[in-house]
Amino acid sequence: MTQLHEFTSKFFLSAILTVAIFCTQTCRVEAQRIPGRNIIRPLTGADTSKPRLPNVAVPRVIANTADTTGISDSSRLNNDSLPSRTDTFSLKLSKDTLDAPVNYSAEDSAVVLIASRKIILYGKTKTEYQDITLTAPQVELDQETQVLTAYNSKDSLGQVTEEAHFVQAENSFTSDTIRYNFKTQKGFTVNTITQQGEMYVHGAQIKKMDDKVTFVKNGLFTTCNYDDPHFAFKAEKIKVINQKLAVSGPAHPEFEGVPVPVILPFGFFPLSQGRHSGLLPPQFETNDQFGIGLTNLGYYKVMNDYWDVKVYGNIYSYGGWSANFNPTYRKRYRYNGSLNFGLQRTKFNFKGDPDFFTNKSYSLAWSHQVDSRARPGTTFSASVNASSTSFNRYVSNNPMQNYNNLLGSSIAYSKTWTSQGPKATNYNLTVSANHNQNNQTGLVSLSLPDLGFSVSTMYPFQKAESAGTKKWYEQLGIGYNGNLRNQLAFYDSAFKLRNLIDTLQWGARHSIPITLSLPPILNGAVVVSPSISYSQVWINQKFRRTWNNTTKKIDTTVTKGFYMDHQSSLGLSFNTALYGTYEFKKSRIYAIRHVMRPSISLNYQPDLSSKHYYNTQVDTTGYMARFSEFEGALYTGFGEGRYGGMSFQLDNNLEMKLRPKKSKENVDTTGEKPEFKKIRLVDGYGISTSYNFFADSMKLAPFQMYFRTNLFDKINISANATMDPYQTDARGRSISKYAWEGGKFKPGRITTGSVSVSSSFQSKPRDEKKEQQKQQQLNALKGDATLLGDQQRLMDYMRQNPAEFVDFNIPWSFSLSYSLYFREQFKSDYSGFEKIFTSTANFSGNFSLTPKWMFSVNGYYDIDTRTLQTFQMSISREMHCWQMSINVTPIGPYRYFNFSISPKSGILQDLRINRTRSFYTGY
């Protein structure tokens, strides 16, 4: 019996030692013996993540052996089995020991072949080693050669049901068979698909040399993510350098497995992510006015981590050309911006054609932003968009830019600081330059520099350290606001430096507001606010009209100099809010609430400006009109006459509260009552006017009315109008007689007004998760300032090619906007007033003819002339990894047709078939 115990002990100790070394010496296992093999399953709570140690605790093994007769070996051992104990051994690690433990798991079983030193895993296996993760239906691990082999699984028909998947850092493979050596980190796979950025590589055989270099035999390159791609470039031999490039021998394209008889001598596929320098391939274009051309031909150069530059242009067969210099720069947490300077030489038609002419123009766009964290309290921004007045007109294939006649620019610097001491005061200085131009009239105006300085309200009588209720005089505050403006104006076609200086105007405005905060009265229901203000303007010219009896016309005279105008006022205002609620008992509507906010102000303003007004004859009948001599100045001065009166304003809004619906979905499991739903019926509507007790006539001022709402959170409506309460004479001028006097009641006449209505509707997305991912990506791009230049270029391209950026996840969408504006103005002969109306409508929409076809339209309709000014329509086809688009502009002076088919992937964006024709019909 003693010999039996010794033999049994040596056998189990030898087996335990072998398994302990093989299982990285840290794995606690439980073994069950079956004839021909040992099955090892990890114990619950086993920790295999600890590093190897020279002294390792031998795992506890509970042995159960069974034979085919069903008699348990444990029955033979009975009470003679060894007691449970733990022995410790000092081990010397072999040279072929791995650098880290191999962690493995399997849903079915793990088979340990001790004699051959192999482990076989079955059923959704997972093997981890350093940064390598392998999942497969079946895995074989050879301890002696340190080679891991993974296999796929097939059904009874031989179809692959589950494949082996290998991941190492940024590399991933999906294969039928994977063999990998942990020591050399070399591998071999069969029927493999791997992804490199946007590129997918298919290979009948792939040999992985290290973590960067891979060789492929009988490979395919494609951006289609299907196992059987719609298109690919096929090559016999390919070398892939991870995240850098791929090089192949002779290659040819295939579509749906059908080879195209176009052989490329070699293939070079850039796989690097981020920015990299390179040529910008051109696009072919045909234009009836410019000829045959190549567009967007150029070079993109990455200078360093902070800035890059793009140089590109167009060239046409009639001799016209354009060139653009477009650098972008950025420094994280400091600033970012982009510049685009363009030169354009246009040649319309060929020499000898009756309509032939040439034109030279330029454009300049600059955008700059400073991160608020760079210098707290200081900001600098620039948004420059300037050009020759004819530049936009001759840009090809861009109707939106062709019709853009208003350009504006702004460069601004601002600094805010706070004085030290117990009575800290905030100061703000702003320096800006502005530019505006009208390409239709050719008028360009420059305002530079404009200075603004303000001092926040100071409380001179407030104690540095006060306790208890403040005295009324401690609430007396005083502030300052000052502005200085300079402006130049000229016509683009008649620019001369001498004339430019003659148009120089400058002016300044100063205001000193004095406020006093008093405690509310009537139990806090009414807020009382007294105020005092003084304003002064500096003006550099006077403008006068005089009647010329010889020519029977009005002559105008401009006198340069330094002039001032003043204004002061006293005021006392009362503000409150009134609430009215009407409740419904037998309706889902719980209540409707009406809120009124009346405001009454008493004001006095002395007459300090009447000396700057004059009367002059305006026609042959001797009719006299009154004008201000500061008309046309940057600051036109103040109104004449003494004012002492009352102003009134009433603001309203309507809200509705709904009871919750009685349904199972609204049952609150917490026991709390469902919340009522609040809906704003009208966001605001109101009226304001004033009454001047000191005026000798027409004491009631015109009524100002407004209305705004957002119906159902879909339809935005806003309107405002000015109503004159007086009757008019034969010339259309107001007289001192109310409109409701002398017969039929009339509240007055509307002199100016505007109405705008806009709405947009869209269907629910087909895939909610896809829509959420899209919004997350857009938000991420908006927050990354380093991509500002790329975003701007993308937006420009999207405006020119809207059909290539169709969201097929939205079945349909539609937006419509309408605007109406009218005003009264003097007739050219001063014989009265005339009303000028302007009304326009914009529309855009798209809908899916099928889940793969999308039809889009957008246009601009001028209601006054009853003409469709612009109209664009496009048809897009979703082709999985490819896209097709057709764009047509059949209306307007600039008309064009475009057909394009190209891959969706960005790395193959230049692999396209593009056909463009444009036509110019004139204005």
Side-chain angles (χ1 to χ4, degrees):
M1 183 64 68
T2 302
Q3 293 179 350
L4 176 61
H5 280 297
E6 291 178 356
F7 174 78
T8 306
S9 299
K10 291 179 180 180
F11 175 80
F12 274 100
L13 290 174
S14 177
I16 292 170
L17 179 60
T18 302
V19 174
I21 295 174
F22 186 76
C23 294
T24 68
Q25 305 171 3
T26 60
C27 180
R28 296 185 62 193
V29 298
E30 183 175 74
Q32 180 181 6
R33 186 175 183 276
I34 297 178
R37 62 181 185 177
N38 290 335
I39 299 179
I40 307 297
R41 294 185 177 90
L43 287 173
T44 302
D47 185 4
T48 61
S49 62
K50 297 179 180 179
R52 295 171 180 265
L53 299 174
N55 297 322
V56 182
V58 178
R60 176 173 59 89
V61 178
I62 302 174
N64 285 326
T65 58
D67 55 19
T68 57
T69 62
I71 302 175
S72 174
D73 288 344
S74 61
S75 63
R76 299 193 186 104
L77 291 175
N78 295 328
N79 295 328
D80 295 332
S81 59
L82 291 175
S84 176
R85 64 182 183 181
T86 301
D87 295 333
T88 302
F89 297 87
S90 296
L91 303 175
K92 292 184 178 180
L93 302 180
S94 62
K95 294 182 180 180
D96 61 351
T97 302
L98 299 177
D99 296 332
V102 179
N103 302 322
Y104 59 87
S105 63
E107 285 192 0
D108 183 16
S109 59
V111 178
V112 177
L113 304 177
I114 296 176
S116 57
R117 300 181 65 186
K118 293 183 179 180
I119 296 178
I120 304 176
L121 307 177
Y122 294 93
K124 293 186 179 181
T125 68
K126 183 177 182 180
T127 306
E128 296 178 338
Y129 172 72
Q130 292 183 343
D131 62 343
I132 298 172
T133 301
L134 174 67
T135 57
Q138 179 182 342
V139 170
E140 179 182 312
L141 177 62
D142 192 325
Q143 169 67 10
E144 187 170 355
T145 61
Q146 297 183 355
V147 173
L148 179 145
T149 306
Y151 305 94
N152 63 3
S153 63
K154 299 181 179 179
D155 57 16
S156 58
L157 299 177
Q159 299 294 325
V160 176
T161 58
E162 187 177 356
E163 295 178 311
H165 189 66
F166 178 94
V167 178
Q168 181 180 19
E170 298 179 354
N171 298 327
S172 63
F173 298 87
T174 300
S175 307
D176 289 349
T177 304
I178 297 177
R179 297 189 65 198
Y180 183 78
N181 190 307
F182 287 113
K183 198 66 177 179
T184 64
Q185 294 192 359
K186 294 184 178 181
F188 180 81
T189 64
V190 178
N191 294 334
T192 302
I193 301 176
T194 181
Q195 183 177 3
Q196 297 284 333
E198 294 183 86
M199 187 72 73
Y200 293 88
V201 182
H202 297 238
Q205 297 178 2
I206 292 182
K207 186 175 182 180
K208 185 178 184 297
M209 304 304 297
D210 52 38
D211 60 344
K212 294 183 179 179
V213 179
T214 303
F215 290 96
V216 181
K217 184 177 180 180
N218 295 330
L220 297 175
F221 263 107
T222 181
T223 57
C224 181
N225 59 0
Y226 280 4
D227 291 346
D228 295 320
H230 293 109
F231 82 101
F233 292 91
K234 186 173 183 179
E236 292 294 328
K237 297 179 180 180
I238 303 172
K239 180 180 179 180
V240 180
I241 302 177
N242 184 35
Q243 302 301 326
K244 286 190 177 181
L245 58 89
V247 181
S248 72
H252 65 272
E254 288 187 352
F255 289 90
E256 298 288 354
V258 178
V260 178
V262 176
I263 305 298
L264 304 177
F266 64 90
F268 184 88
F269 304 89
L271 303 176
S272 59
Q273 303 297 311
R275 303 176 301 148
H276 54 276
S277 303
L279 291 172
L280 301 175
Q283 297 181 18
F284 179 78
E285 179 181 306
T286 301
N287 190 296
D288 283 359
Q289 289 73 42
F290 304 150
I292 301 173
L294 295 176
T295 62
N296 297 322
L297 172 65
Y299 188 81
Y300 173 76
K301 175 66 176 177
V302 178
M303 308 303 295
N304 53 41
D305 292 340
Y306 301 108
W307 73 289
D308 51 55
V309 62
K310 176 183 175 184
V311 180
Y312 63 98
N314 307 332
I315 185 170
Y316 297 95
S317 60
Y318 289 169
W321 56 268
S322 66
N324 290 78
F325 176 73
N326 180 207
T328 61
Y329 55 90
R330 84 282 302 161
K331 192 169 185 179
R332 191 178 293 273
Y333 308 125
R334 296 297 299 273
Y335 55 80
N336 64 81
S338 64
L339 176 73
N340 193 335
F341 177 71
L343 294 174
Q344 185 173 257
R345 179 177 173 83
T346 305
K347 288 189 175 182
F348 252 51
N349 299 314
F350 51 88
K351 288 185 177 181
D353 189 281
D355 296 328
F356 173 80
F357 74 91
T358 62
N359 177 268
K360 295 180 181 180
S361 57
Y362 71 91
S363 69
L364 175 65
W366 178 37
S367 175
H368 181 88
Q369 290 182 338
V370 175
D371 196 309
S372 59
R373 294 167 291 187
R375 297 184 63 184
T378 302
T379 61
F380 177 78
S381 63
S383 177
V384 177
N385 186 13
S387 71
S388 302
T389 53
S390 60
F391 183 87
N392 286 355
R393 188 179 306 170
Y394 302 124
V395 175
S396 65
N397 300 333
N398 194 341
M400 299 299 292
Q401 188 172 352
N402 297 147
Y403 282 99
N404 185 15
N405 289 320
L406 300 178
L407 301 180
S409 307
S410 175
I411 303 174
Y413 169 83
S414 176
K415 181 176 178 59
T416 302
W417 69 95
T418 303
S419 62
Q420 303 296 325
K423 297 181 180 180
T425 305
N426 295 326
Y427 301 87
N428 179 264
L429 173 66
T430 301
V431 182
S432 64
N434 299 281
H435 148 267
N436 292 282
Q437 72 180 64
N438 188 319
N439 292 340
Q440 189 170 8
T441 61
L443 180 63
V444 180
S445 62
L446 302 174
S447 298
L448 72 162
D450 288 358
L451 301 177
F453 180 72
S454 63
V455 181
S456 64
T457 303
M458 301 181 294
Y459 298 93
F461 302 109
Q462 183 175 318
K463 297 179 181 179
E465 297 181 0
S466 59
T469 305
K470 296 180 180 180
K471 304 295 184 180
W472 67 269
Y473 56 83
E474 292 184 83
Q475 301 296 321
L476 183 66
I478 183 172
Y480 171 78
N481 293 287
N483 294 280
L484 173 65
R485 293 185 59 195
N486 298 271
Q487 181 174 291
L488 297 167
F490 60 91
Y491 284 94
D492 185 36
S493 58
F495 174 79
K496 291 183 180 180
L497 183 60
R498 182 182 62 183
N499 297 339
L500 181 65
I501 297 176
D502 292 339
T503 64
L504 174 64
Q505 292 190 64
W506 62 268
R509 181 186 180 99
H510 312 273
S511 62
I512 302 175
I514 301 175
T515 60
L516 178 62
S517 299
L518 297 179
I521 61 176
L522 300 179
N523 296 324
V526 179
V527 178
V528 182
S529 301
S531 63
I532 303 175
S533 67
Y534 171 78
S535 300
Q536 182 186 84
V537 293
W538 297 350
I539 304 170
N540 78 317
Q541 68 178 28
K542 286 184 178 181
F543 181 86
R544 278 188 170 268
R545 295 178 174 87
T546 56
W547 178 256
N548 190 323
N549 290 320
T550 303
T551 60
K552 304 299 181 182
K553 293 182 180 180
I554 295 177
D555 294 336
T556 58
T557 305
V558 177
T559 306
K560 299 287 185 178
F562 177 78
Y563 309 98
M564 291 190 298
D565 197 6
H566 310 266
Q567 183 187 66
S568 63
S569 63
L570 304 174
L572 182 65
S573 63
F574 303 87
N575 302 276
T576 188
L578 304 175
Y579 301 87
T581 304
Y582 183 82
E583 296 184 355
F584 297 84
K585 295 183 178 180
K586 296 181 179 180
S587 174
R588 187 169 174 244
I589 301 175
Y590 177 74
I592 293 179
R593 186 174 73 166
H594 179 203
V595 182
M596 296 185 297
R597 296 181 178 86
S599 175
I600 300 176
S601 299
L602 302 176
N603 299 278
Y604 172 75
Q605 178 180 302
D607 184 9
L608 303 178
S609 303
S610 59
K611 60 182 178 180
H612 300 301
Y613 284 80
Y614 64 96
N615 294 319
T616 188
Q617 182 180 340
V618 295
D619 59 19
T620 55
T621 63
Y623 183 84
M624 305 295 290
R626 191 164 180 81
F627 301 95
S628 169
E629 62 182 4
F630 294 143
E631 183 180 352
L634 292 180
Y635 295 101
T636 57
F638 303 104
E640 66 172 332
R642 184 177 59 162
Y643 177 84
M646 179 181 67
S647 60
F648 172 79
Q649 180 177 354
L650 178 63
D651 180 61
N652 304 263
N653 70 331
L654 284 176
E655 295 179 338
M656 180 173 63
K657 184 181 289 187
L658 298 178
R659 292 184 174 92
K661 293 182 179 180
K662 295 181 180 179
S663 62
K664 295 181 180 180
E665 297 178 357
N666 290 332
V667 176
D668 196 332
T669 56
T670 61
E672 298 180 359
K673 294 182 179 180
E675 295 183 356
F676 286 81
K677 183 178 181 180
K678 295 181 180 179
I679 299 176
R680 277 185 171 268
L681 299 178
V682 181
D683 293 333
Y685 65 97
I687 188 172
S688 64
T689 186
S690 62
Y691 191 87
N692 186 2
F693 295 102
F694 293 157
D696 55 359
S697 62
M698 294 187 289
K699 298 182 178 182
L700 183 63
F703 293 93
Q704 306 292 333
M705 300 174 290
Y706 63 91
F707 175 89
R708 63 182 184 277
T709 186
N710 186 5
L711 295 178
F712 316 110
D713 292 330
K714 288 293 183 182
I715 304 176
N716 292 289
I717 303 174
S718 62
N720 60 77
T722 300
M723 186 173 65
D724 190 342
Y726 298 100
Q727 298 181 18
T728 59
D729 59 11
R731 294 176 177 267
R733 294 175 173 83
S734 300
I735 59 176
S736 184
K737 187 176 182 180
Y738 290 117
W740 50 82
E741 293 181 350
K744 189 176 180 181
F745 174 79
K746 293 182 179 180
R749 77 181 196 282
I750 304 296
T751 57
T752 61
S754 66
V755 178
S756 63
V757 182
S758 64
S759 181
S760 61
F761 303 89
Q762 72 174 34
S763 63
K764 293 182 178 180
R766 291 189 173 97
D767 189 339
E768 293 285 353
K769 293 183 178 180
K770 187 176 180 180
E771 182 67 16
Q772 294 176 0
Q773 293 175 357
K774 172 188 170 183
Q775 294 300 327
Q776 292 174 357
Q777 293 174 355
L778 290 175
N779 294 334
L781 288 175
K782 292 178 182 178
D784 192 346
T786 63
L787 300 177
L788 179 65
D790 296 333
Q791 293 177 29
Q792 184 62 42
R793 286 191 289 268
L794 179 61
M795 292 300 296
D796 293 340
Y797 185 82
M798 290 175 64
R799 281 192 290 267
Q800 298 180 37
N801 305 274
E804 297 184 18
F805 298 88
V806 176
D807 189 356
F808 285 90
N809 195 36
I810 306 297
W812 62 268
S813 65
F814 179 76
S815 62
L816 176 67
S817 63
Y818 169 79
S819 63
L820 169 67
Y821 174 75
F822 65 92
R823 61 186 175 88
E824 286 186 345
Q825 70 175 19
F826 266 119
K827 294 181 179 180
S828 59
D829 58 357
Y830 297 95
S831 60
F833 289 90
E834 61 180 353
K835 286 188 177 181
I836 306 299
F837 285 85
T838 302
S839 57
T840 59
N842 292 273
F843 60 91
S844 64
N846 58 71
F847 63 92
S848 296
L849 300 174
T850 69
K852 300 295 183 180
W853 285 94
M854 181 71 76
F855 182 78
S856 305
V857 297
N858 66 80
Y860 170 83
Y861 185 78
D862 190 337
I863 299 178
D864 297 336
T865 60
R866 297 182 181 180
T867 57
L868 188 62
Q869 297 289 346
T870 63
F871 180 75
Q872 289 179 280
M873 57 183 179
S874 61
I875 300 176
S876 304
R877 175 67 165 90
E878 162 67 24
M879 303 168 65
H880 184 247
C881 50
W882 282 65
Q883 59 189 359
M884 184 190 71
S885 63
I886 301 174
N887 300 297
V888 181
T889 302
I891 294 176
Y894 300 94
R895 306 179 183 185
Y896 80 100
F897 168 83
N898 171 265
F899 170 82
S900 175
I901 180 170
S902 63
K904 290 182 179 179
S905 173
I907 62 176
L908 296 179
Q909 62 180 345
D910 301 312
L911 181 65
R912 63 168 58 203
I913 300 173
N914 186 75
R915 177 64 173 170
T916 301
R917 292 291 303 272
S918 60
F919 312 90
Y920 177 73
T921 60
Y923 287 94

